[in-house]
Amino acid sequence: MEDELPCCHDNATGKVGQRAAATPVDADDAVVSPGCKECCERCVGSLPWASLIATILLYMGVALFCGCGHEALSGTVTILQNYFEVIRAPGDVLDVFTIIDILKYIIYGLAAGFFVFGVLLLVEGFFTTGAIRDLYGEFKITACGRCLTAFLMVLAYLFFLVWLGVTAFTSLPVFMYYNVWSMCKNATSVEGANLCLDLRQFGAVTISEERKVCMGSEKFLNMCDSNELDLTFHLFVCALAGAGAAVIAMVHFLMALAANWGYLKDASRMQKYEDIKSKEEQELHDIHSTRSKERLNAYT
């Protein structure tokens, strides 16, 4: 057995050992190229997931609120004209139709403004994530970046309050349409009751005008059987859900921005500490080199 081992070594591994000796490889200088898995993990890990989820939720909420709210307002105009016989006032009189037009323009502004705002917050999340992960690289955290994060955090808080108000305002037509929808569903069980829908109670017309529809009338039955009432009610419900989603998205952005601001502040302090430390080490190195030269000159 001992005689066979050198033979096996010569035949099986001797040539390999000679090739390895012919081409030496230093383990410290070996460069291993990252594979597809490592690249994917690096890309996924560098994404600002909190800001990305908040942006998607914000866009979904704003799109749901703006689209459903716009169509619900158009359905409200149709109901007022067809079943309550409300007509648009001539001139520049502020009536219910003018208010609805103003609300539509506000919806257009919200859609455009929050699209840009969502892009800004997402870009800030990407840059902050890069600043945290590449702290010791070429990317430097500046005071301007921290001020921008603080400004966006204040702006997100203000928009959070705005969306709270929008959610509360959107709940009013949902409550009104729910009452009308309940009256239509329960019209057969309260045949003896003389209930009426008066627009003066909702502030849609002036006190001098009388625009009401009572249960049992042909207009009331036609309104209950039509698709406008049911569709408009559910569109307002969807708009309320979209406003609530936008509120949750603003809360997500506030948490992400507050965390980013804290990380940037700590990272800035760490950078200052590293700069001071490297400066002191350089000064000590210069002092030692100067003393060595002086000693060498003294000996010579």
Side-chain angles (χ1 to χ4, degrees), residues 28-43:
D28 296 333
D29 297 336
V31 178
V32 179
S33 60
C36 182
K37 182 180 178 182
E38 287 77 7
C39 292
C40 292
E41 290 178 353
R42 184 178 180 181
C43 293

Side-chain angles (χ1 to χ4, degrees), residues 280-292:
E280 290 179 353
E281 290 177 353
Q282 183 65 33
E283 290 178 354
L284 290 175
H285 177 72
D286 294 340
I287 292 173
H288 285 301
S289 61
T290 303
R291 289 180 179 179
S292 299

